[in-house]
Amino acid sequence: LTKCVACCSAPQVSQRQDVCCFSSVPSQPVPPLALTLQGYLRALEPLLPPEELSHTRRMVQEFGRPGGLGAKLQEGLERRARHTKNWISDWWVQWAYLESRQPLPVHSNPAISLPRRDYNDWRSQLVFASKLIAAVLDFKAKINSGQLPVEYMRGKPLCMELYPLLFSSCRIPGPKHDYISRHGRSRRSPTHITVVRNYQFFQLEVYNSDGSRMTESQIHSQLLRIRSQSWKTDKEPMGILTSEHRHTWGQAYNRLLRDKLNKESVRLIETGLFSVCLDSPVMRISDEKYASRKAAQILHGGGTFSNSGNRWFDKTLQFVVGEDGSWGILYEQATAEGPPIATLLDHILDYCEKPDPKRAPLVPLPMPKKLYFHIDREIKRDIEHAKQNLDILINDLDVNVFNFTEFGKELPKKHNLSPNSFIQVALQLAYYRVHNDVCPACDIASQRMFRGGRTEYIRSPMNQTLRFIQAFDNPSREAKLQLFREAVDAYAALTAQALKGHGIDHHLLGLKLQAIEEGLSIPKIFMDTAYGLATHWKLRTGQVPANTDSVMCFGPLVPDGYAICYNPQADHVHFSITAFNCCEETNAETLAVTLKETLYQLQELLQPAV
């Protein structure tokens, strides 16, 4: 086995064959320019009136002509691809995440809510939290020792480089853009996690002096100590500062770090392996709305009178464990993304089924260290502003989580249709029924089959989708079914193209950034109103398939849009839909009701009642 130096300290071994995650993963290709420009024009056809489309077509043809500006920028990208690990990933992370100035809660950090545990008291909360911490440490040990199996998709190995980066990393606010601080691969890697309860932060060492991992019972006894030190809710919730607009938080961060005590406390939070948020119970509501409330709690903490002070939104991994049995994970996307997080959660769930394997050694444990802050008048003012702004943001977000139980992914499979493509067409049809229009939608495709690959957008609608939507009220079932199959198959073909590295959106972004890199003015096709319309994503969607009944949740990308996540299981599908209340046009509940009706009708289309 060759060592996988670029992504981990040990060989990565697949369960199926010995394979280093990098030696077997190819470089990400730069798609052919003509293919991307054709795909871009095709994507605009359902969205633009004919005269605007012909104007954009002329502009695109000019950009793509042999020897023109597009060809020159394409050469630059191909040169970049030869000299970098991945020609687009660093640019993408910088542009999509680190240069964004919007607050991380709701706008950026996704939350995954998992099935409620069977308890409803603080004692069981701490027992489960101990088990969870031990499970995550076990997962980290598998990464460090090279025992984490290489993952495969469609028979191809995936790049595993994100896994070691999940631990001891944190996003740091900056004046113009943020950066990622990583501490997990230094010679003296951190050995602590951060536990936060009642807005108070604690440094908890999770390894013994001989380097062995603490047992569950050791961790549990330490969590009891933390509880005994955090009876009262802290008056000044420092974590709220991380929920601010990035520029505002960056200024507050610099003020905070002037003080030596604050600097040390912040550093310990940033360098910790991960954070665990021990949340207080939340107001009881109806069972019907409980799933939505639970997801919202993990996403943003429920507000400044609830658990929002128990978050440090910049931290890459935060596990939330509530007193009512609710739990989940909140993560920062510049380092982490859905599929690796789903793998980590699967490991936690498997581990939680097993009894504690180790007996606790009889050694005295150091007291968990409470992190103190010196809060002057300026910082107090910063916290008050952050509290007001976060509550406004939380009150503006409508979260609707539901479990569609009529059928799951087995139904489309039975009819030789891709389950994900089936749901994507259903989403477009439901949106059309609510808004009497189609809109630009982006679905996320992994690019981890390439070295250092992150994600790509799969965009819809397509002409086939539009034809099906417009014919849906047509009485002829056969014609409708044929158009539906064509729409689903067209989306599946677009997905396959993206998985080959031939998606169009990141290539277009790369061409634009290449022009900036070369000191050229931004090409006209990116200043065109059509490009603005095509990238105003009114539907931000994401499938996060997992082996459990989890549901992901995040906010819309644009003020007049929706975010829809779904997790298809064999016989049911979990959905979360979010929208902003300030927009009169959008309504998460209306779209949820319409989507359910649409799915019933598509089932009827495939399997008509006799």
Side-chain angles (χ1 to χ4, degrees):
L1 272 182
T2 52
K3 276 223 174 181
C4 199
V5 180
C7 67
C8 49
S9 57
Q12 293 283 339
V13 183
S14 164
Q15 285 172 326
R16 299 178 211 183
Q17 63 185 87
D18 288 351
V19 59
C20 165
C21 63
F22 258 30
S23 65
S24 55
V25 175
S27 299
Q28 185 159 342
V30 180
L33 182 63
L35 191 71
T36 293
L37 297 181
Q38 283 164 16
Y40 175 53
L41 287 172
R42 265 199 308 274
L44 290 174
E45 285 171 6
L47 302 172
L48 292 181
E51 64 279 6
E52 281 187 42
L53 187 62
S54 51
H55 166 77
T56 299
R57 187 172 277 120
R58 285 194 299 274
M59 207 176 273
V60 169
Q61 283 166 351
E62 170 62 22
F63 178 75
R65 67 181 171 79
L69 178 57
K72 183 184 176 204
L73 296 175
Q74 177 77 358
E75 279 175 26
L77 286 184
E78 287 167 357
R79 197 165 48 247
R80 179 181 167 84
R82 286 194 294 273
H83 295 104
T84 55
K85 180 176 69 179
N86 186 295
W87 64 272
I88 189 62
S89 285
D90 288 348
W91 267 354
W92 169 248
V93 168
Q94 188 70 25
W95 180 85
Y97 305 127
L98 301 179
E99 286 182 11
S100 168
R101 303 286 77 198
Q102 286 191 304
L104 295 188
V106 174
H107 294 293
S108 184
N109 290 7
I112 300 180
S113 172
L114 284 108
R116 186 175 173 272
R117 308 297 296 187
D118 188 20
Y119 66 80
N120 207 358
D121 65 285
W122 69 264
R123 288 181 178 80
S124 303
Q125 175 194 27
L126 297 192
V127 169
F128 175 64
S130 311
K131 191 100 184 165
L132 183 148
I133 292 165
V136 180
L137 295 176
D138 186 63
F139 187 78
K140 184 177 184 300
K142 281 187 164 35
I143 295 169
N144 292 354
S145 63
Q147 292 177 312
L148 190 68
V150 167
E151 294 165 314
Y152 284 76
M153 185 162 68
R154 300 190 177 191
K156 292 183 178 174
L158 301 182
C159 178
M160 303 290 283
E161 73 158 22
L162 284 182
Y163 283 101
L165 307 180
L166 296 175
F167 298 96
S168 295
S169 63
C170 194
R171 183 160 162 173
I172 310 293
K176 291 185 179 170
H177 61 81
D178 295 354
Y179 65 94
I180 301 297
S181 174
R182 295 196 172 106
H183 304 272
R185 294 154 86 184
S186 56
R187 191 162 290 173
R188 293 188 61 195
S189 293
T191 54
H192 70 279
I193 65 170
T194 309
V195 177
V196 52
R197 179 176 181 267
N198 280 341
Y199 306 171
Q200 295 169 65
F201 290 81
F202 294 84
Q203 175 193 2
L204 173 59
E205 289 292 334
V206 286
Y207 292 87
N208 293 302
S209 54
D210 63 358
S212 62
R213 300 198 309 271
M214 278 192 180
T215 63
E216 284 170 42
S217 52
Q218 282 180 307
I219 295 166
H220 182 245
S221 65
Q222 295 293 70
L223 293 182
L224 286 169
R225 284 168 136 185
I226 286 172
R227 182 179 163 82
S228 68
Q229 288 186 75
S230 57
W231 288 112
K232 285 186 178 173
T233 301
D234 207 311
K235 285 196 183 75
E236 304 297 347
M238 291 304 297
I240 295 281
L241 287 174
T242 65
S243 71
E244 269 285 26
H245 181 280
R246 301 307 291 172
H247 181 68
T248 309
W249 165 220
Q251 291 177 322
Y253 183 84
N254 289 335
R255 281 193 284 275
L256 192 62
L257 263 59
R258 284 185 209 144
D259 182 274
K260 192 179 172 188
L261 177 70
N262 295 345
K263 191 172 185 176
E264 176 63 14
S265 293
V266 169
R267 192 185 66 80
L268 285 166
I269 294 169
E270 290 173 352
T271 59
L273 296 167
F274 52 90
S275 292
V276 174
C277 314
L278 298 174
D279 277 9
S280 304
V282 293
M283 191 174 68
R284 291 185 178 280
I285 47 168
S286 65
D287 287 352
E288 172 196 352
K289 290 188 176 168
Y290 179 69
S292 302
R293 171 63 64 88
K294 195 164 61 124
Q297 268 295 313
I298 292 156
L299 185 66
H300 50 56
T304 57
F305 292 100
S306 189
N307 290 297
S308 291
N310 279 0
R311 307 283 184 273
W312 193 269
F313 288 102
D314 293 9
K315 193 70 188 148
T316 302
L317 294 181
Q318 295 188 89
F319 297 92
V320 179
V321 181
E323 240 180 78
D324 61 351
S326 62
W327 74 289
I329 187 170
L330 181 68
Y331 64 93
E332 198 287 303
Q333 287 191 99
T335 294
E337 54 199 31
I341 296 296
T343 302
L344 167 57
L345 290 172
D346 285 342
H347 181 84
I348 292 169
L349 287 161
D350 287 347
Y351 189 96
C352 286
E353 296 305 309
K354 299 168 189 167
D356 183 0
K358 294 180 192 163
R359 296 186 61 179
L362 296 171
V363 290
L365 297 172
M367 195 74 172
K369 178 183 172 184
K370 182 172 176 182
L371 306 183
Y372 289 96
F373 294 91
H374 176 250
I375 297 169
D376 61 21
R377 191 180 300 165
E378 277 186 300
I379 294 167
K380 194 175 172 64
R381 187 197 64 212
D382 290 335
I383 291 171
E384 286 309 309
H385 287 167
K387 282 160 78 171
Q388 289 166 19
N389 291 337
L390 181 59
D391 282 340
I392 290 167
L393 177 60
I394 286 171
N395 290 332
D396 190 28
L397 186 75
D398 188 13
V399 179
N400 191 298
V401 172
F402 64 93
N403 182 11
F404 181 79
T405 55
E406 196 68 20
F407 63 85
K409 60 186 174 187
E410 289 306 316
L411 175 75
K413 280 184 178 177
K414 201 166 86 177
H415 293 270
N416 294 318
L417 294 168
S418 151
N420 186 55
S421 304
F422 177 101
I423 292 173
Q424 284 291 327
V425 174
L427 293 178
Q428 281 286 343
L429 177 55
Y431 182 93
Y432 184 85
R433 294 174 134 191
V434 173
H435 296 281
N436 201 30
D437 200 3
V438 290
C439 71
C442 60
D443 183 18
I444 309 298
S446 175
Q447 298 289 277
R448 283 176 57 219
M449 62 291 296
F450 304 115
R451 192 175 306 160
R454 295 295 296 263
T455 57
E456 173 60 281
Y457 286 159
I458 310 167
R459 53 163 63 239
S460 57
M462 293 161 294
N463 286 326
Q464 292 93 330
T465 321
L466 187 59
R467 283 197 289 271
F468 166 65
I469 287 170
Q470 289 170 338
F472 195 73
D473 294 326
N474 185 323
S476 163
R477 178 180 169 267
E478 288 309 314
K480 239 183 336 192
L481 185 56
Q482 180 60 28
L483 288 170
F484 178 56
R485 282 193 169 278
E486 285 173 11
V488 172
D489 289 346
Y491 193 88
L494 209 57
T495 303
Q497 197 174 320
L499 292 175
K500 281 196 297 192
H502 287 172
I504 65 172
D505 279 281
H506 287 191
H507 188 197
L508 289 172
L509 174 67
L511 292 164
K512 181 181 172 183
L513 296 177
Q514 184 65 28
I516 295 167
E517 181 105 333
E518 293 185 20
L520 304 171
S521 52
I522 292 175
K524 283 182 195 165
I525 69 163
F526 303 117
M527 308 302 283
D528 182 22
T529 51
Y531 187 70
L533 171 78
T535 52
H536 186 80
W537 306 108
K538 288 193 179 183
L539 272 182
R540 173 195 195 187
T541 72
Q543 175 187 223
V544 181
N547 297 331
T548 185
D549 287 320
S550 59
V551 65
M552 183 185 269
C553 180
F554 44 60
L557 281 173
V558 294
D560 57 343
Y562 298 92
I564 305 178
C565 277
Y566 49 96
N567 174 8
Q569 298 292 300
D571 59 358
H572 59 279
V573 187
H574 291 279
F575 285 96
S576 78
I577 301 180
T578 60
F580 291 117
N581 293 318
C582 65
C583 178
E584 290 179 12
E585 297 163 30
T586 57
N587 185 294
E589 189 168 353
T590 304
L591 187 59
V593 169
T594 310
L595 177 57
K596 287 177 205 172
E597 288 170 3
T598 301
L599 290 167
Y600 286 132
Q601 288 174 314
L602 292 175
Q603 180 185 26
E604 175 72 14
L605 181 63
L606 288 175
Q607 297 180 324
V610 179

